[in-house]
């Protein structure tokens, strides 16, 4: 089937002006018959099967048929903050912030039937995190955790007591598997010296677990299932790293097969930044290691490393729906680079820069990926871009205060990719203009931890050759600010006299003796002499009497240090600066060898060692 004959894709976005709807490639325009929704829209959500689009206003929740674009249901419930659909779109869940009552009985989480708009049940749910119930893919059951218990309901009996319960002391998290045969994985944290544990049960038998794995160093976990629901990756994290190597705690990754015939610890190095199963459920990718050069590894279904994608500053993994194209990206506080890889050949297709990206999602057509800059994470340059997997920017749109953007789900089989990757389509006019516009040059600075902000940078992190001039100017400006009017006037007179002397005989004038303490002068000739214990007037007189006097027709320098510095050639000064940098690099390498964690600026300084050695050799020739 050609791309032109495929049904158009669709995506929705929410901004300060309301909700917008657009078709995907190649049209990129609002579909006919859509009536734009304006006003204060708090959240929007497609159903997982793509049948419905729902949004919440301060007064109600509306449900629209995503194909006919007609509003089919309006539920009169106020102040809704979160909404979500069941897998087949039969039920709609809503959540509002809980209102404090005397008995604490405010039921702020509700489940409605979409076709009738009838409220089926409601619960008290204080936390916004994991607020919704979990559904099986066939909607046969939904589940919710309550104090060491997981309650299961049948949809037809939501108003009654739970159909069944899984009770385990110390249980803090649970996750239902996708797929036809549903399993439930539960997590137990470390208690009284006992290790943490994950157990997997069949939803029809809670007596004997199908599989289990115990491990230490786990305050909380993320349970990441493959699409078939046959294997689960357990991403365990701690709040603190007792070794002191990481500010973000420790991370580990464990692999469990639901059949109970295999489990292991996945061999990773350092922190885990992202984990993602391939859609085929046979392999997965992990980004792990220390920034700025973590490792990206492809593992097979037995957690064996089968391919390395290299070391780059990446923290995001995105598979396209059919699993043929893999995007490895560096978003957040990274530069925004996206690498497109062909999973079949394990070769890089393209690399592009998508700076300031805060959201990223593949189109269901398997060919395009959407990146967006959203508010309030970033309040400038809000908008979205759509890229082809060849790295070509196809379409871009700038929007004021863009809050949310999402593709309409569709079956990936509908947009199958050919064995030979196709070329990119023709970009739209506005994307061509955006591509031609140069990216703004931004001043880059080293990261400073909160407790160090507003204080001078340590000399270890300062590039002396680049910052000597600016540092000296800043020091002189600070010194001038501390001078009295009379002292500042005298200083300017001395500087003018020195300039006149230089212009007359072509030789540098002698460095005047430094004023006393409190005058703000920074002469090295004064730094090593004791400060007289007298008032400012006597200090100034002593300073004038201590000026260098002519002997045998020559002027004596104020100090040997100043004389040596002034007599150095430009080449000697460069050699001194390069030698200083090499000494700093040597100290950093010793710290690194001792196991100390270095910051990004320190690692970058070490990488410059070879260039500095080459420069030093050239200067000494």
């Amino acid at each position: 089937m050609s791309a032109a004959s495929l049904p158009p894709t669709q995506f929705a976005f929410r901004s300060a002006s309301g909700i917008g709807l657009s078709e995907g490639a190649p049209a990129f325009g609002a579909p006919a018959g859509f009536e734009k929704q304006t006003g204060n829209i708090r959240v929007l959500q497609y159903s997982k099967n793509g049948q419905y689009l729902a949004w919440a206003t301060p007064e109600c929740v509306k449900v629209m048929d995503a194909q006919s674009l007609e509003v089919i249901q309006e539920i009169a419930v106020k102040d809704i903050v979160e909404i979500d659909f069941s897998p087949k779109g039969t039920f709609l869940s809503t959540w509002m912030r809980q209102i404090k009552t005397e008995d604490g009985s405010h039921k702020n989480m509700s489940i409605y039937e979409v076709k009738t708009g009838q409220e089926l049940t409601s619960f008290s749910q204080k936390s916004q995190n994991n607020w919704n119930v979990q559904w099986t893919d066939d909607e046969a059951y939904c589940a919710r955790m309550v104090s060491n218990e997981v309650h299961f309901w049948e949809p037809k009996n939501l108003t009654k007591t739970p159909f069944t319960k899984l009770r385990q002391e110390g249980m803090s998290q649970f996750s239902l598997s996708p797929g036809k045969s549903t399993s439930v994985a539960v997590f137990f944290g470390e208690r009284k010296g006992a290790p943490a544990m994950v157990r997997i049960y069949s939803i029809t038998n809670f007596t004997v677990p199908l599989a289990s794995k115990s491990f230490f160093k786990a305050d909380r976990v993320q349970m990441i299932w493959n699409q078939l629901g046959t294997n689960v990756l357990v991403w365990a994290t701690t709040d603190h790293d007792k070794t002191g190597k990481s500010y973000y705690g420790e991370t580990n990754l464990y692999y469990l097969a639901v059949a109970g015939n295999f489990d292991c610890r996945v061999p990773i190095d350092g922190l885990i930044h992202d984990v993602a199963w391939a859609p085929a459920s046979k392999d997965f990718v992990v980004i792990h290691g220390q920034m700025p050069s973590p490792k990206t590894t492809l593992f097979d279904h037995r957690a064996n490393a089968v391919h390395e994608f290299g070391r780059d500053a990446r923290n995001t993994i995105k598979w396209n729906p059919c699993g043929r194209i893999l995007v490895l990206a560096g978003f957040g506080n990274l530069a925004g680079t996206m690498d497109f890889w062909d999973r079949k050949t394990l070769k890089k297709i393209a690399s592009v820069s998508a700076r300031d990206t805060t959201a990223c999602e593949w189109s269901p057509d398997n060919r395009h990926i959407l990146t967006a800059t959203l508010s309030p994470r970033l309040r400038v340059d809000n908008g979205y871009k759509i890229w082809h997997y060849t790295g070509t920017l196809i379409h871009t749109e700038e929007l004021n205060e863009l809050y949310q953007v999402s593709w309409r789900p569709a079956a990936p089989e509908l947009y199958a990719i050919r064995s030979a990757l196709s070329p990119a389509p023709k970009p739209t006019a506005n994307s061509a203009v955006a591509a031609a516009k140069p990216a703004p040059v931004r001043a880059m600075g080293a990261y400073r931890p909160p407790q160090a902000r507003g204080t001078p940078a340590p000399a270890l992190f300062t590039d002396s050759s680049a910052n000597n001039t600016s540092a000296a100017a800043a020091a002189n400006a600070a010194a001038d600010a501390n001078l009295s009017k009379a002292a500042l006037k005298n200083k300017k007179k001395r500087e003018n006299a020195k300039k006149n002397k230089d212009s007359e005989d072509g030789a540098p004038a002698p460095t005047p003796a430094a004023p006393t303490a409190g005058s703000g002068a920074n002469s090295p000739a004064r730094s090593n002499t004791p400060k007289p214990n007298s008032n400012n007037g006597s200090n100034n007189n002593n300073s004038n009497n201590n000026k260098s006097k002519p002997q045998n027709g020559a002027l004596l320098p104020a100090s040997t240090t100043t004389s040596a510095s002034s007599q150095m050639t430009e080449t000697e000064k460069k050699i001194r600066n390069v030698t200083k940098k090499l000494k700093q690099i040597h100290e950093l390498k010793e710290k690194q060898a001792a196991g100390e964690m270095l910051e990004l600026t320190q690692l970058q300084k070490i990488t410059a060692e070879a260039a500095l050695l080459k420069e030093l050799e050239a200067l000494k020739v």
Side-chain angles (χ1 to χ4, degrees):
M1 183 181 292
S2 65
S5 60
L6 294 174
T9 54
Q10 181 190 104
F11 62 92
F13 54 87
R14 179 173 62 92
S15 66
S17 60
I19 290 179
L21 211 62
S22 176
E23 292 184 348
F28 294 114
F34 173 68
E35 183 179 349
K36 187 175 181 179
Q37 303 293 317
T38 60
N40 181 15
I41 310 297
R42 294 183 172 179
V43 64
L44 67 83
Q45 182 69 49
Y46 277 107
S47 63
K48 296 174 178 61
N49 61 358
Q51 184 178 2
Y52 302 117
L53 173 65
W55 61 88
T57 71
E59 303 298 328
C60 65
V61 174
K62 294 183 179 181
V63 181
M64 181 183 75
D65 187 295
Q67 185 65 36
S68 65
L69 306 181
E70 295 180 0
V71 176
I72 63 166
Q73 194 58 254
E74 183 172 330
I75 303 173
V77 56
K78 297 182 178 180
D79 301 325
I80 295 300
V81 178
E82 298 281 1
I83 58 177
D84 198 9
F85 286 93
S86 59
K88 293 184 177 181
T90 308
F91 306 98
L92 176 70
S93 302
T94 66
W95 183 89
M96 67 176 69
R97 290 185 175 87
Q98 195 170 44
I99 300 173
K100 291 184 179 179
T101 58
E102 292 182 359
D103 57 356
S105 60
H106 179 225
K107 296 184 177 181
N108 58 323
M109 184 263 173
S110 301
I111 300 178
Y112 298 86
E113 187 175 15
V114 172
K115 289 185 177 180
T116 63
Q118 178 186 358
E119 183 181 7
L120 301 179
T121 190
S122 59
F123 306 98
S124 293
Q125 174 65 33
K126 183 176 180 181
S127 175
Q128 190 172 356
N129 295 327
N130 302 317
W131 65 271
N132 196 14
V133 296
Q134 295 186 33
W135 292 88
T136 59
D137 280 358
D138 57 3
E139 295 184 354
Y141 303 99
C142 66
R144 180 172 180 264
M145 175 172 282
V146 181
S147 301
N148 296 320
E149 292 182 348
V150 180
H151 294 182
F152 291 83
W153 284 271
E154 294 177 312
K156 61 184 179 180
N157 296 319
L158 282 172
T159 57
K160 300 181 180 179
T161 56
F163 169 74
T164 186
K165 298 180 182 179
L166 169 60
R167 177 172 178 80
Q168 295 284 335
E169 189 68 27
M171 180 171 53
S172 59
Q173 292 176 240
F174 84 102
S175 177
L176 295 183
S177 72
K180 297 179 179 180
S181 180
T182 305
S183 305
V184 55
V186 294
F187 169 69
F188 307 83
E190 298 180 50
R191 294 182 63 190
K192 300 179 180 180
M197 180 178 293
V198 169
R199 291 176 180 166
I200 302 176
Y201 293 90
S202 170
I203 202 170
T204 58
N205 183 7
F206 298 149
T207 306
V208 180
L210 300 175
S212 65
K213 179 72 176 176
S214 60
F215 43 84
F216 287 97
K217 299 181 181 180
D219 294 329
R220 59 189 177 278
V221 298
Q222 293 182 47
M223 290 176 275
I224 307 167
W225 294 92
N226 62 1
Q227 287 191 7
L228 296 178
T230 55
N231 301 297
V232 63
L233 293 169
V234 180
W235 180 355
T237 61
T238 62
D239 294 325
H240 304 285
D241 184 356
K242 295 181 180 179
T243 65
K245 293 182 179 180
S246 172
Y247 175 80
Y248 302 99
E250 294 183 75
T251 59
N252 287 288
L253 190 64
Y254 302 94
Y255 181 106
L256 283 83
V258 172
N261 57 357
F262 181 78
D263 64 76
C264 71
R265 178 183 179 275
V266 180
I268 53 97
D269 300 324
L271 285 174
I272 300 173
H273 303 280
D274 200 9
V275 182
W277 280 99
S281 301
K282 295 181 179 179
D283 44 26
F284 59 95
V285 174
V286 184
I287 300 177
H288 55 104
Q290 299 297 331
M291 286 291 178
S293 54
K295 185 191 299 184
T296 304
T297 307
L298 175 68
F299 293 90
D300 64 11
H301 66 289
R302 282 295 181 262
N304 299 311
V306 294
H307 183 73
E308 298 288 347
F309 292 95
R311 290 183 174 270
D312 290 296
R314 307 290 182 264
N315 59 6
T316 304
I317 303 168
K318 294 290 183 181
W319 291 92
N320 75 335
C322 72
R324 175 67 185 274
I325 309 297
L326 171 67
V327 164
L328 302 176
F331 296 141
N333 60 345
L334 300 180
T337 304
M338 291 197 305
D339 298 329
F340 293 84
W341 290 82
D342 185 349
R343 172 61 184 89
K344 185 176 181 180
T345 62
L346 293 177
K347 293 181 179 180
K348 186 187 292 188
I349 302 171
S351 184
V352 299
S353 176
R355 62 181 183 84
D356 297 336
T357 295
T358 59
C360 178
E361 185 181 354
W362 274 99
S363 166
D365 70 359
N366 292 299
R367 293 161 174 80
H368 300 89
I369 189 168
L370 181 147
T371 62
T373 302
L374 304 180
S375 183
R377 174 69 182 273
L378 289 173
R379 296 188 180 275
V380 295
D381 299 332
N382 281 191
Y384 60 83
K385 297 178 180 179
I386 297 177
W387 310 77
H388 191 261
Y389 59 68
T390 56
T392 304
L393 179 60
I394 302 300
H395 181 70
T396 183
E397 191 75 33
E398 294 183 0
L399 294 166
N400 181 37
E401 291 188 47
L402 178 63
Y403 303 120
Q404 189 179 356
V405 60
S406 179
W407 289 100
R408 177 190 177 189
E413 298 81 10
L414 190 61
Y415 303 92
I417 287 186
R418 304 184 187 94
S419 57
L421 297 178
S422 57
K426 184 179 179 181
T428 58
N430 59 350
S431 66
V433 173
K437 186 191 302 183
V441 179
R442 300 186 177 186
M444 301 298 290
Y447 170 77
R448 301 293 303 281
Q451 66 271 17
R453 293 169 188 170
T455 61
L460 182 63
F461 306 120
T462 304
D463 189 343
S464 58
S465 63
N467 297 331
N468 273 347
T469 303
S470 59
N476 289 336
D480 290 347
N482 295 326
L483 288 175
S484 64
K485 291 183 178 180
L488 183 60
K489 185 176 181 181
N490 291 334
K491 182 181 178 183
K492 289 182 178 179
K493 286 182 178 180
R494 290 192 298 271
E495 291 175 351
N496 291 334
K498 179 181 176 181
K499 291 179 181 178
N500 294 335
K501 182 67 176 177
D502 290 344
S503 61
E504 289 175 2
D505 55 18
T511 304
T516 57
S519 66
N522 297 313
S523 170
R526 194 64 180 172
S527 60
N528 295 325
T529 57
K531 299 176 182 179
N533 298 320
S534 58
N535 58 28
N536 288 341
S538 63
N539 288 345
N540 288 335
N541 292 334
N542 290 336
S543 177
N544 292 332
N545 293 333
N546 290 332
K547 286 183 179 178
S548 302
K549 297 181 179 180
Q551 294 182 1
N552 299 328
L555 291 174
L556 291 178
S559 71
T560 55
T561 304
T562 306
S563 175
S565 177
S566 62
Q567 292 176 3
M568 290 178 66
T569 64
E570 289 298 323
T571 302
E572 290 172 338
K573 291 179 180 179
K574 290 180 180 179
I575 292 175
R576 180 186 63 183
N577 290 334
V578 172
T579 304
K580 184 177 180 181
K581 292 181 185 179
L582 289 172
K583 182 180 178 181
Q584 293 175 352
I585 290 174
H586 179 70
E587 293 173 353
L588 291 174
K589 292 176 73 173
E590 287 182 347
K591 291 182 179 181
Q592 190 179 39
E596 185 174 337
M597 297 298 298
L598 299 183
E599 293 188 0
L600 176 59
T601 53
Q602 295 172 309
L603 295 172
Q604 290 174 343
K605 184 172 286 189
I606 291 176
T607 59
E609 182 180 19
L612 290 173
L613 290 172
K614 188 175 180 181
E615 181 181 354
L616 184 61
E617 291 179 2
L619 291 171
K620 289 182 177 180
V621 174

